[in-house]
Amino acid sequence: MATISPSAPPQGLALFRAALPPGTGDAPTADRLCALGAALHLARAEQLAPAPQEDRLVWIAGGAAKLISPHGHGPEGPVPGGQVLAFHFAGDLVSVLRQSARELQGGDFRLVALEPCDLVIFPADSFLDCAQGDPAVLRSVLSRSLQALHRSRTRMMQMGHKSAAARIADFLVSMAERLADCTAGPCAFALPMSRRDIGDSLGLTIETVSRQLTELREAGLVATEGRSRIALADVAALARIAGRQVEQPKN
Amino acid sequence: MATISPSAPPQGLALFRAALPPGTGDAPTADRLCALGAALHLARAEQLAPAPQEDRLVWIAGGAAKLISPHGHGPEGPVPGGQVLAFHFAGDLVSVLRQSARELQGGDFRLVALEPCDLVIFPADSFLDCAQGDPAVLRSVLSRSLQALHRSRTRMMQMGHKSAAARIADFLVSMAERLADCTAGPCAFALPMSRRDIGDSLGLTIETVSRQLTELREAGLVATEGRSRIALADVAALARIAGRQVEQPKN
DNA sequence: CGCAGTCTTGAGACAGATCAACTCACGTGG
DNA sequence: CCACGTGAGTTGATCTGTCTCAAGACTGCG
């Protein structure tokens, strides 16, 4: 489990600064923000040491990670790797609330690297204190959060009552968007997560994930190569299976 | 469908001001914020006219409402009342993003009153512009959003793989917290939403909801009276069924 | 090259959906 | 005030999709 190095390898922070909202990137606030951030590199499968006392904002400079809840879920959650809540990729800002929060009790979240990963870690309190000096930054963070909430809600709605096929299709479309920046037509990319991770994030077993992929393969909609490469023949068709279609209101 | 009255009945706004973060309630910023808010009353089953062009922040001064996605969900979502995304009660601040957002396509959300309901509606842009003058307000909104996101994620995780019994128990515990401010022991309250709404929000059919309630009734954990009154004998026991317990790891 | 872990495939079990009556609460009008 | 009707809620029988358990096949690492 990695610990935070205060002597930050500079590239993560430089990238972070470049990603700040335009017009603030070179303001003095940006300097102060960067001073708060600690850069950290995680190797594959390594996890960010949880912070018991403080909320954190983690910016992903590069790589891919999963946000998990180690305690599984149900009465008997035999989830070995921990329940997967979300996947995050380069450019994402992840908020990792401290576990104590009497909140819903699952609340012990950890970030685990799916592949070598560069992070910039901010204590949420100091970050926000500092960002108060530059409301544009605060607002940008808020706007990201509202969008994340919106996405999470939409996803939740879908999770509620969707077939395995729809969930897998939705997952693939979502990955195509985020990993290959592709929303229609064909595309190919490498999935950084295992079948187990996929299943855990969708509420399915690995067997079901595998079976659904086989069906899509037989339908000619996807092709796989090795364990992680995947090619989607028609993202729009998958979106349709996912129940995502921009359905023309038929009234 | 209700339209917004600029001539605001003052009580909603007065309540809103009282709910602002301490120390800001009487700052000039508060005046400006209130000037932006439009108060609105919704009758039962009435819905907030959707705003096509702007994001909104809606503060619920009193009553109860559901946030729905009218287009159902799957390929053939015959959900008559619309898919329920979340329930909201007095004191909640709800963000209703404009539908266009090319975001996940379900994104046409509406707020529908479950019972007579007092709202204060803010255009998100102006609200945030104004709140930039008082970072404490902005930060308070951000903090609420991060918590809402956290809750939504935790919920999502649970929804993924939980039995019907666990979902119903979780729902009841959550309602006890929010409607009766009760986290343990016995409590009673009125559920403002129908069985259909409950089912839609949990991804279950009304039949399953009914059956699960019957089982809990037979187990002596809940008692019902009429259509909406419900009494929970032991919230902690329900939390255990919901898989919410602070489970002792047994390895 | 061989081993360990990941992925795939198959057969049977079970939870929840679906279809179909039936009952009851609650608002309406006599 | 009570009878009535409508829609909400309950209960039952059956059916389907996904989980579970159990082998087997492949990937990719040491």
Side-chain angles (χ1 to χ4, degrees):
Chain A
M1 194 171 300
T3 51
I4 300 174
S5 78
S7 64
Q11 77 229 68
L13 281 169
L15 286 169
F16 169 71
R17 168 169 301 206
L20 281 172
T24 61
D26 37 32
T29 302
D31 290 323
R32 265 177 277 131
L33 279 179
C34 289
L36 290 172
L40 176 63
H41 182 83
L42 290 182
R44 194 164 192 287
E46 210 175 2
Q47 63 180 288
L48 177 61
Q53 298 306 345
E54 60 175 17
D55 295 344
R56 279 174 172 171
L57 293 175
V58 179
W59 189 74
I60 302 189
K66 60 180 175 181
L67 186 67
I68 66 166
S69 173
H71 290 159
H73 46 92
E76 295 312 317
V79 187
Q83 164 70 344
V84 175
L85 283 142
F87 296 112
H88 288 290
F89 308 106
D92 289 357
L93 182 67
V94 190
S95 70
V96 184
L97 298 192
R98 71 178 169 286
Q99 50 198 82
S100 65
R102 81 141 182 67
E103 278 297 334
L104 300 196
Q105 300 57 348
D108 168 20
F109 297 166
R110 291 182 198 174
L111 203 60
V112 180
L114 293 167
E115 57 188 37
C117 215
D118 284 301
L119 309 177
V120 184
I121 297 152
F122 302 94
D125 285 337
S126 333
F127 182 94
L128 295 177
D129 284 342
C130 182
Q132 286 201 354
D134 188 340
V137 172
L138 204 50
R139 183 163 171 179
S140 157
V141 174
L142 176 58
S143 161
R144 275 165 183 271
S145 307
L146 287 179
Q147 291 233 342
L149 178 59
H150 190 258
R151 234 183 283 128
S152 174
R153 281 194 166 150
T154 307
R155 245 177 91 58
M156 195 179 91
M157 159 186 106
Q158 297 175 337
M159 294 288 297
H161 20 170
K162 274 202 159 176
S163 69
R167 292 185 204 194
I168 292 290
D170 187 69
F171 168 79
L172 292 175
V173 171
S174 165
M175 288 304 117
E177 272 180 39
R178 298 176 75 184
L179 291 173
D181 196 25
C182 162
T183 59
C187 67
F189 47 93
L191 290 172
M193 70 291 285
S194 70
R195 301 283 190 272
R196 171 171 296 284
D197 286 332
I198 297 173
D200 281 350
S201 80
L202 298 175
L204 300 171
T205 59
I206 58 177
E207 293 96 326
T208 300
V209 171
S210 185
R211 272 186 261 267
Q212 293 301 331
L213 283 176
T214 300
E215 278 191 22
L216 289 174
R217 203 180 298 126
E218 285 168 353
L221 283 170
V222 316
T224 56
E225 177 200 325
R227 278 181 189 157
S228 70
R229 299 281 322 164
I230 191 165
L232 312 185
D234 181 355
V235 172
L238 287 171
R240 220 169 303 123
I241 295 175
R244 274 211 197 191
Q245 72 280 28
V246 192
E247 25 195 343
Q248 301 300 59
K250 62 202 67 166
N251 3 337
Chain B
M1 195 172 299
T3 51
I4 301 174
S5 79
S7 62
Q11 77 230 67
L13 281 170
L15 287 169
F16 169 71
R17 166 168 304 206
L20 280 172
T24 60
D26 37 32
T29 302
D31 289 324
R32 266 176 278 133
L33 280 178
C34 290
L36 290 171
L40 175 64
H41 183 84
L42 290 182
R44 194 163 192 288
E46 209 174 5
Q47 62 181 291
L48 178 61
Q53 299 306 344
E54 61 175 17
D55 296 344
R56 279 175 172 169
L57 293 175
V58 179
W59 190 73
I60 303 189
K66 59 180 174 180
L67 186 67
I68 66 165
S69 171
H71 289 160
H73 45 92
E76 293 312 316
V79 186
Q83 165 69 343
V84 175
L85 283 141
F87 296 112
H88 288 289
F89 307 104
D92 290 356
L93 182 67
V94 190
S95 71
V96 184
L97 298 191
R98 70 177 169 286
Q99 50 197 83
S100 66
R102 81 143 181 66
E103 278 298 337
L104 299 196
Q105 297 62 347
D108 169 18
F109 297 165
R110 290 181 200 175
L111 205 59
V112 181
L114 292 167
E115 58 187 37
C117 215
D118 284 302
L119 309 177
V120 184
I121 297 152
F122 302 94
D125 285 337
S126 333
F127 183 94
L128 295 178
D129 285 341
C130 181
Q132 287 200 353
D134 188 342
V137 172
L138 203 49
R139 183 164 172 177
S140 157
V141 174
L142 176 57
S143 161
R144 275 165 182 271
S145 306
L146 286 180
Q147 291 233 342
L149 178 58
H150 190 259
R151 232 184 283 127
S152 173
R153 281 194 165 151
T154 306
R155 244 177 93 58
M156 194 177 91
M157 161 186 104
Q158 297 175 337
M159 295 288 296
H161 18 170
K162 274 203 158 175
S163 69
R167 292 185 204 195
I168 293 290
D170 188 68
F171 168 79
L172 292 175
V173 171
S174 165
M175 287 305 117
E177 273 180 38
R178 299 175 74 182
L179 291 173
D181 197 24
C182 161
T183 59
C187 68
F189 48 94
L191 290 172
M193 71 290 286
S194 71
R195 301 285 191 269
R196 170 171 297 283
D197 287 332
I198 297 172
D200 280 351
S201 80
L202 298 175
L204 300 172
T205 59
I206 57 177
E207 293 96 328
T208 300
V209 172
S210 184
R211 271 186 260 268
Q212 293 301 331
L213 283 177
T214 301
E215 278 191 22
L216 289 175
R217 204 180 298 124
E218 285 167 354
L221 282 170
V222 316
T224 56
E225 179 201 324
R227 279 178 190 160
S228 70
R229 299 277 326 161
I230 190 164
L232 312 184
D234 180 356
V235 172
L238 287 171
R240 218 169 304 124
I241 294 176
R244 276 210 197 194
Q245 75 280 26
V246 191
E247 28 193 343
Q248 303 299 60
K250 66 198 63 167
N251 5 334

